Amino acid sequence: MTTQKFGTGRLCSAAGAGLALAAGCLALLAAQQRKYAELRARADRAERAEWRRAMMAEQQELQLYLLRKAIEDPDLAAVYSVAEADSPTQRRQFLFANALYTNALLAYRSGVVTWEELHGHLRWIATNPVFRQYWHATRHQRASLKDSSDEARVGRMMDTLIRDLDEADTDEYWVVGEPPPE
């Protein structure tokens, strides 16, 4: 009888070890599945971000094409631009100012420039009197933007830059203003 108990004990120990091994394998498999799901989700986010950047670039190309057509043809410019312009020349200038601004905005959105670099570029653009006229003429269009949008935040940065440049005691525009927190 003792031999039987001894053999059964070994069998139980082997079965317990087998169950422990199986439980460990299942735990490892579950951990691997969680890691795979996490990696897949990260890859999906990266793919969506890349798709979004590609779509923004494509949209920008289309917008610049339309702007180019409007700049070349006063009849089309009248359709494209809602800003009040005193002459066809000023309207073309406003369209070009819009192209400069939207190009800078896209460069930021697509990650080509940082927030600080965008600030420096916009500071340079804001020194131009024609751009300032355009900016003033289109202020009502920006009023409807969602406050948290990139375009609204960049627009507020431009408003602050223009104010800072107006209040500056120097002609050295490149030292005026600090970028707001991103």
Side-chain angles (χ1 to χ4, degrees):
M1 206 63 181
T2 304
T3 307
Q4 234 178 7
K5 285 186 181 181
F6 180 72
T8 304
R10 271 189 163 168
L11 187 58
C12 286
S13 292
L19 286 174
L21 179 64
C25 287
L26 287 175
L28 180 62
L29 180 62
Q32 285 178 334
Q33 285 179 334
R34 281 191 302 273
K35 186 68 173 174
Y36 174 77
E38 182 182 307
L39 289 172
R40 185 70 238 154
R42 192 179 310 161
D44 288 346
R45 283 191 301 273
E47 286 175 12
R48 283 192 303 274
E50 182 56 36
W51 178 83
R52 185 173 186 270
R53 278 190 293 277
M55 290 294 98
M56 284 189 335
E58 190 172 314
Q59 190 276 333
Q60 181 70 16
E61 284 182 39
L62 177 59
Q63 182 178 3
L64 290 175
Y65 168 78
L66 294 172
L67 276 169
R68 194 176 316 114
K69 297 294 278 183
I71 288 169
E72 293 167 358
D73 186 336
D75 294 333
L76 298 179
V79 175
Y80 192 91
S81 176
V82 296
E84 293 293 323
D86 296 333
S87 68
T89 298
Q90 187 180 49
R91 179 160 296 181
R92 283 192 308 276
Q93 290 172 334
F94 282 5
L95 290 168
F96 190 77
N98 176 268
L100 284 174
Y101 176 73
T102 56
N103 185 60
L105 178 63
L106 178 69
Y108 169 69
R109 282 179 166 168
S110 61
V112 172
V113 299
T114 66
W115 185 249
E116 291 77 19
E117 290 167 332
L118 175 65
H119 181 266
H121 185 68
L122 293 180
R123 180 172 44 203
W124 174 77
I125 292 173
T127 63
N128 184 282
V130 175
F131 181 86
R132 285 174 173 235
Q133 290 171 355
Y134 156 77
W135 194 253
H136 179 73
T138 57
R139 69 189 178 287
H140 61 278
Q141 294 171 330
R142 291 184 302 282
S144 64
L145 295 172
K146 186 177 175 182
D147 280 346
S148 62
S149 71
D150 285 342
E151 192 168 353
R153 292 182 320 110
V154 172
R156 287 191 299 273
M157 184 194 309
M158 180 60 84
D159 290 337
T160 301
L161 277 166
I162 289 172
R163 187 184 67 243
D164 290 349
L165 287 165
D166 286 344
E167 295 172 358
D169 293 336
T170 181
D171 290 333
E172 297 173 341
Y173 74 89
W174 56 91
V175 299
V176 175
E178 290 293 321
E182 190 171 4

